[in-house]
Amino acid sequence: MKKSFLALVLLSVMFSANAQDTEVGFELGAYNYLGDVARTYDFGNSSLGAQVFVKKHLNRGFNTRISAGFGKLKGVDDEAFDVFSANRKASFKGSFFNVDFLWEYNFLDYRDERLQQFWTPYILFGVGAYKYSGESDQNGVSTSYDSGVNLRLPIGIGLKYRIDRRWTLAASTSAIKSNSDTLDNVSIDTPAIKDYRGGNPNDDDWKFFTSISISYTLYKIVCPQGKFR
């Protein structure tokens, strides 16, 4: 996490050098998982996630965002779902680090103080990379595994509220395609999985991230020129 924070600090300096204004912030929330082990959304599988980020405002609607953070995932087989999951008795837990490049579109101009518009709904989408490592248990056999570096594709919705000229509070929820079927270590390629218990090889695992964030806007102050100099 220290390396991620330092990287974001450097990026914020680079952004501030040319941007009219830049936002830096912190995001805290819960990750959830959907895959072969947990095939329905279960709040009991929620795990901690956090990110630091830098945003650059391009115009009244769009801004770009670079994020770096970490998260945890977990899941347990539902015996009532089917005979394969009942016999498999699989569970897993793990953690990952991620870096994302996102676009955000704000539907309302919440940053113009003259409009007295203090909030806006928004959407987010983009691409990122992550590295996941975990531990799984299948029929009493414990295994450590590593997914390597994979792409992830987040898309989500949220709501922003401008507290004042510099501080903004936001809440969002996003679905993240993991481009991997091995977050839970349950697939047809898993050595401990036999007799058609590997789940659906055509469906990638998904992550969901629900969070709140606080950010601070850095305004570039332009010095007077000419006779005032």
Side-chain angles (χ1 to χ4, degrees), residues 101-117:
F101 179 81
L102 302 176
W103 291 78
E104 293 181 350
Y105 179 74
N106 306 303
F107 290 94
L108 303 174
D109 189 3
Y110 74 105
R111 299 176 61 244
D112 190 337
E113 296 183 1
R114 296 171 298 178
L115 299 178
Q116 294 297 301
Q117 176 64 45

Side-chain angles (χ1 to χ4, degrees), residues 113-151:
E113 296 183 1
R114 296 171 298 178
L115 299 178
Q116 294 297 301
Q117 176 64 45
F118 299 103
W119 64 277
T120 181
Y122 72 99
I123 58 174
L124 64 89
F125 55 92
V127 63
Y130 70 96
K131 188 176 188 301
Y132 177 83
S133 59
E135 297 180 356
S136 67
D137 187 283
Q138 295 148 11
N139 285 311
V141 179
S142 297
T143 307
S144 297
Y145 60 101
D146 191 318
S147 71
V149 177
N150 284 312
L151 289 178

